[in-house]
Amino acid sequence: MTKQTRRTVIVGAGPGGLAAAILLAKSGVQVTVVEKRGDVGGRTSTIRQDGFRFDVGPTFFLYPRVLKEIFAAAGYDLEREVPMTRLDPQYRLVFGDGGELLATPNLEQMVKAIAAISPEDARRFHEFMTHNRGKLEKFMPFLQAPFESWRDLMKPDMLKLVPLLAPWRSLDSDLQMHFKDERIRLGFSFQSKYLGMSPFRCPSLFSILSFLEYEHGVFHPTGGCGAVTQAMARIATELGVEILLDEPVEKVLIERGTAVGIKTASRTLQADAVVVNADFAEAMKKLVPNSDRRKWTDERVAKKRFSCSTFMMYLGIDGRYDDVSHHTIFLAKNYRQNLRDIESLHRLSEDPSFYVQNACVTDPTLAPEGKSTLYVLLPVTHDAGMIDWSIEGPKYRKLALQQMEKIGITDVERRIRTEKIMTPEGWASEFDLYKGATFSMAHSLDQMLHLRPHNRFEDVRGMYLVGGGTHPGSGLPVIFESARITSRLLLEDLKMEPQWSTSAGTKPMVSQDELIGATS
């Protein structure tokens, strides 16, 4: 008798959904990915406008090992499929309070760079690296495993981690053990913005983010991060995955508490399992009736804390700013007030922090000859009903152009040849992000691990979650890890074996050799 083929439908062609599609297809599942937009990638896609290309969202590609393993599981080589450049310097930090720091993966050069601002802190840099190397090594197995109950926290190995992870400390408090100068601490904690959180509220665990940059590098994929999801979609298709574009899902079909497929305007797709790779809060509201959700009701979701949003400017310009780094982060003089404006007061700052990607100094393929791209990001509040962007948007654009002068980008407005603006309202309408929060639910202690929506969704049998809204959380490497967790759980429930070698407890995401000083 021929074994029945199992079918899975994945809602959303973001990086997590595409990674899950690859892993499930490799394991013998018939996979259909249904995407509302006309292109794959979600927030990790590409804007093409007047001959220019811009990443929509992520521009830092960190720790490629997870995706490299997923590609290898499918029989592909990530480095061959998506050429990448390791950046040095990784980025330039400009402090509104005075001083600059060129962050480099050359650790001895980094010590000298820190010493130019704070000699005392420079002496503690290697101590910081050693501490976080151990933290990552010990916590990594838990980032690779599902958390479905508080009982998972009570495992002996997890309890042993409590002193090391120090959950009672914020990221900034943790960094005070290593660095006294607040500017240096900001240089090792601004990465909490990848999670949409303030370093003064973000859990201390996330000091591993900056550690990963120095240990394993910051990369630029040729063509931008959108080129990564394009390659993933191609590989998925070659493995037999069907990808349907321009096809918004209207609802998940649920029978007696079990997901049995999805419905779009033009078709109904039956499935043995449904994976949702859309913004969790917004997807629940639109795709799953409130009456079918016992735990994650609309009322409960509305009470959760959500990340910041971003005000974006995608600029195609004449010429190039060759003396401006690939990545530049400006940290406002009153950084704490800037964060309060975003997180608590829900208002716009007069002197905001910002980030600029000047990618054409590394990758001229992103613009026509003689031109270049500027990607400008200002963290702002999510939509709390306090800001009318139709009024404030033009004002904030003007302020952003003025702020850019502080990092050496002057006289830019007359050079603009194409432009796109994205506000929290745009993130909500174009990408279906709840409240326009670009990093989903905040990563506070009460919204992590088993307290985050589970990879095997609690409220609907046969339904699974992948992406930044579920465990382990936001950021591309972590989202790829969520795909592995979710795919393992789904295959387990279908009584199928994963056809890839890496799994929690068998092969660590970070090898011992890599942990001991892989810095070149």
Side-chain angles (χ1 to χ4, degrees):
M1 176 184 258
T2 303
K3 188 175 181 180
Q4 182 182 4
T5 300
R6 296 293 198 167
R7 178 167 188 171
T8 293
V9 173
I10 298 177
V11 181
L18 292 171
I22 290 170
L23 293 170
L24 293 172
K26 178 64 178 176
S27 299
V29 178
Q30 183 180 342
V31 181
T32 300
V33 180
V34 187
E35 168 59 46
K36 68 165 284 189
R37 294 172 60 82
D39 199 2
V40 299
R43 279 162 279 173
T44 312
S45 59
T46 303
I47 296 169
R48 295 172 176 84
Q49 189 166 295
D50 298 327
F52 296 86
R53 287 182 293 159
F54 309 88
D55 280 323
V56 171
T59 57
F60 280 61
F61 197 86
L62 306 175
Y63 196 62
R65 174 164 180 172
V66 187
L67 188 58
K68 185 174 183 179
E69 290 178 350
I70 291 172
F71 272 48
Y76 293 81
D77 183 338
L78 175 62
E79 294 174 6
R80 183 179 299 116
E81 303 297 331
V82 189
M84 297 191 189
T85 301
R86 185 171 183 172
L87 300 178
D88 187 6
Q90 297 173 157
Y91 43 79
R92 170 186 170 218
L93 292 167
V94 179
F95 301 104
D97 225 10
E100 295 189 9
L101 185 65
L102 272 179
T104 171
N106 183 315
L107 299 192
E108 295 313 312
Q109 288 297 321
M110 189 62 187
V111 169
K112 294 177 181 177
I114 296 172
I117 295 175
S118 175
E120 181 182 359
D121 287 344
R123 291 191 288 272
R124 295 195 179 96
F125 175 60
H126 285 294
E127 170 193 289
F128 164 82
M129 293 293 290
T130 300
H131 177 77
N132 280 277
R133 190 174 291 121
K135 182 188 288 189
L136 179 65
E137 180 183 11
K138 290 182 172 64
F139 192 68
M140 190 58 72
F142 298 95
L143 288 176
Q144 294 176 293
F147 272 73
E148 299 189 293
S149 163
W150 61 268
R151 294 178 181 85
D152 291 319
L153 294 176
M154 298 296 107
K155 294 176 181 177
D157 287 347
M158 187 69 182
L159 291 174
K160 291 177 185 177
L161 283 178
V162 171
L164 181 65
L165 298 180
W168 54 87
R169 283 202 298 261
S170 70
L171 174 55
D172 182 71
S173 297
D174 188 74
L175 289 173
Q176 287 182 33
M177 296 173 15
H178 306 287
F179 307 121
K180 302 305 179 187
D181 191 300
E182 185 172 51
R183 292 169 297 176
I184 302 302
R185 293 201 303 276
L186 288 178
F188 286 86
S189 64
F190 77 87
Q191 295 84 354
S192 63
K193 280 299 176 191
Y194 302 159
L195 311 173
M197 288 194 71
S198 155
F200 308 109
R201 295 176 58 185
C202 186
S204 63
L205 162 67
F206 293 106
S207 60
I208 62 175
L209 290 177
S210 57
F211 163 79
L212 279 173
E213 293 176 346
Y214 293 100
E215 188 87 339
H216 298 287
V218 174
F219 293 83
H220 173 77
T222 301
C225 288
V228 176
T229 49
Q230 289 288 335
M232 294 174 73
R234 175 174 49 77
I235 289 170
T237 301
E238 290 173 3
L239 291 172
V241 174
E242 181 183 24
I243 300 177
L244 304 177
L245 300 177
D246 291 312
E247 188 125 11
V249 174
E250 294 182 344
K251 64 178 178 179
V252 175
L253 301 175
I254 299 173
E255 295 180 0
R256 295 185 293 278
T258 300
V260 297
I262 60 96
K263 183 180 184 307
T264 73
S266 61
R267 71 187 84 201
T268 296
L269 296 176
Q270 299 292 328
D272 298 291
V274 174
V275 178
V276 175
N277 176 221
D279 180 74
F280 171 74
E282 195 68 16
M284 290 304 101
K285 187 170 69 172
K286 291 183 176 180
L287 304 183
V288 181
N290 207 29
S291 58
D292 284 316
R293 288 178 272 130
R294 301 180 310 279
K295 180 177 179 181
W296 292 100
T297 62
D298 289 346
E299 294 76 16
R300 182 177 181 187
V301 168
K303 293 177 181 177
K304 293 297 178 180
R305 286 192 294 276
F306 287 83
S307 78
C308 68
S309 186
T310 57
F311 176 86
M312 308 293 306
M313 298 170 61
Y314 307 94
L315 307 177
I317 64 168
D318 276 335
R320 204 164 74 188
Y321 290 92
D322 286 319
D323 54 348
V324 175
S325 295
H326 184 113
H327 298 300
T328 303
I329 297 101
F330 176 83
L331 299 164
K333 182 175 183 179
N334 197 339
Y335 191 70
R336 290 176 184 262
Q337 182 59 52
N338 189 192
L339 293 172
R340 281 193 291 272
D341 289 341
I342 294 169
E343 296 184 341
S344 304
L345 301 177
H346 301 294
R347 69 185 186 188
L348 299 177
S349 298
E350 295 179 359
D351 178 26
S353 300
F354 64 93
Y355 155 69
V356 174
Q357 182 205 38
N358 181 31
C360 287
V361 295
T362 302
D363 183 2
T365 70
L366 298 171
E369 187 175 354
K371 304 183 189 303
S372 62
T373 61
L374 293 175
Y375 166 114
V376 186
L377 180 156
L378 289 77
V380 296
T381 176
H382 60 241
D383 185 5
M386 307 282 282
I387 298 171
D388 183 342
W389 283 102
S390 66
I391 295 172
E392 299 300 331
K395 297 178 185 176
Y396 220 55
R397 174 190 181 277
K398 182 178 179 180
L399 177 60
L401 293 174
Q402 292 172 351
Q403 290 290 90
M404 290 164 66
E405 295 179 1
K406 297 177 178 179
I407 64 169
I409 298 179
T410 59
D411 193 32
V412 68
E413 186 158 21
R414 72 174 182 82
R415 297 168 61 173
I416 296 173
R417 293 297 169 263
T418 194
E419 176 176 359
K420 179 178 173 64
I421 301 290
M422 183 79 77
T423 70
E425 291 176 352
W427 286 119
S429 62
E430 291 189 39
F431 290 87
D432 287 333
L433 303 187
Y434 187 77
K435 296 187 177 184
T438 47
F439 305 96
S440 190
M441 292 198 316
H443 292 68
S444 50
L445 283 175
D446 60 349
Q447 296 183 168
M448 286 177 57
L449 301 175
H450 70 293
L451 299 174
R452 210 162 180 80
H454 296 177
N455 303 81
R456 179 193 274 132
F457 187 47
E458 309 100 297
D459 286 349
V460 181
R461 292 185 300 275
M463 182 170 162
Y464 304 82
L465 305 178
V466 66
T470 187
H471 171 73
S474 293
L476 287 177
V478 181
I479 286 172
F480 295 138
E481 196 60 63
S482 83
R484 291 205 285 204
I485 294 171
T486 296
S487 298
R488 284 197 300 269
L489 293 173
L490 190 156
L491 291 168
E492 176 184 309
D493 292 345
L494 294 182
K495 296 182 170 47
M496 299 176 69
E497 287 293 325
Q499 298 302 307
W500 67 90
S501 60
T502 303
S503 59
T506 61
K507 179 183 174 185
M509 199 163 87
V510 185
S511 70
Q512 287 294 321
D513 288 343
E514 285 178 306
L515 281 166
I516 303 172
T519 58
S520 61

